Amino acid sequence: GGDLVLHGNFERHSNGFCDDVGRATFLRGNSNTTISTPGVNPAPDATTQNFSYLYIDKNSAAQTVTLNCPVGINNLIDFSNGIVVSSAANFLQINSGAAATGASFNSFVHGTVRKVGTQDFLFPTGFLDVNTPHFRPIGISSLSGANTFIAEFVRGNPRNLGPISAAATAAGLST
């Protein structure tokens, strides 16, 4: 098999099957794109579509790839151009052993990113405000055990979001 290059939406229905057999999927083109799995009801915190290698390579940084389902990355997600829009329910999950590369002001995740595993990791997060990108990566390091870590950049005054939890304060976070 070969790589899959899409200039439109990716949609896999409940009775469909898509296994990229370790090949790459490229999301290209000059329009906004969605990734969807209509009719698929995931278990809590589970992904409904996994990609071995996913390349976000839209024609401009203003174009979006909206996740309408939870998406998992098994090896690599590469950000070149375009903003991935996710949510708490339709998150982007970087699985254990997988990497995220190339994130910048031109390409990052606006929304929820999960990382599974024990490796140090730089979350490719940011915020898209009326087509103005704000790239704000979030890092984790020196992990002692396998776990799932969730990150999202929220633009605003942290004091307005409420107090920092005791666990976060014990880990060294402060306002």
Side-chain angles (χ1 to χ4, degrees):
D3 294 337
L4 177 63
V5 179
L6 294 174
H7 290 262
N9 298 328
F10 178 95
E11 191 170 283
R12 181 184 57 80
H13 290 266
S14 61
N15 59 349
F17 179 75
C18 181
D19 182 354
D20 62 18
V21 293
R23 301 300 303 209
T25 301
F26 294 85
L27 299 179
R28 293 188 171 149
N30 59 6
S31 62
N32 295 334
T33 300
T34 62
I35 298 175
S36 304
T37 55
V40 177
N41 297 315
D45 298 324
T47 58
T48 60
Q49 181 60 49
N50 289 307
F51 296 95
S52 294
Y53 299 89
L54 184 62
Y55 292 84
I56 309 301
D57 191 18
K58 305 301 284 178
N59 285 1
S60 83
Q63 294 161 342
T64 61
V65 175
T66 300
L67 306 184
N68 292 328
C69 63
V71 170
I73 304 298
N74 293 330
N75 294 305
L76 173 77
I77 183 168
D78 182 75
F79 295 88
S80 294
N81 256 337
I83 308 300
V84 175
V85 179
S86 67
S87 67
N90 299 319
F91 52 86
L92 176 68
Q93 179 168 293
I94 316 298
N95 292 320
S96 184
T101 60
S104 69
F105 280 94
N106 291 329
S107 194
F108 56 81
V109 179
H110 171 97
T112 305
V113 181
R114 295 174 180 229
K115 175 60 178 137
V116 178
T118 60
Q119 315 93 322
D120 293 355
F121 187 72
L122 191 62
F123 288 87
T125 51
F127 185 80
L128 186 60
D129 181 21
V130 190
N131 291 329
T132 301
H134 301 275
F135 176 53
R136 302 294 187 264
I138 301 168
I140 56 173
S141 61
S142 302
L143 307 176
S144 61
N147 212 329
T148 299
F149 299 89
I150 302 170
E152 178 177 356
F153 176 75
V154 178
R155 188 171 183 213
N157 183 337
R159 295 182 192 282
N160 294 341
L161 298 174
I164 295 176
S165 70
T169 301
L173 297 177
S174 64
T175 56

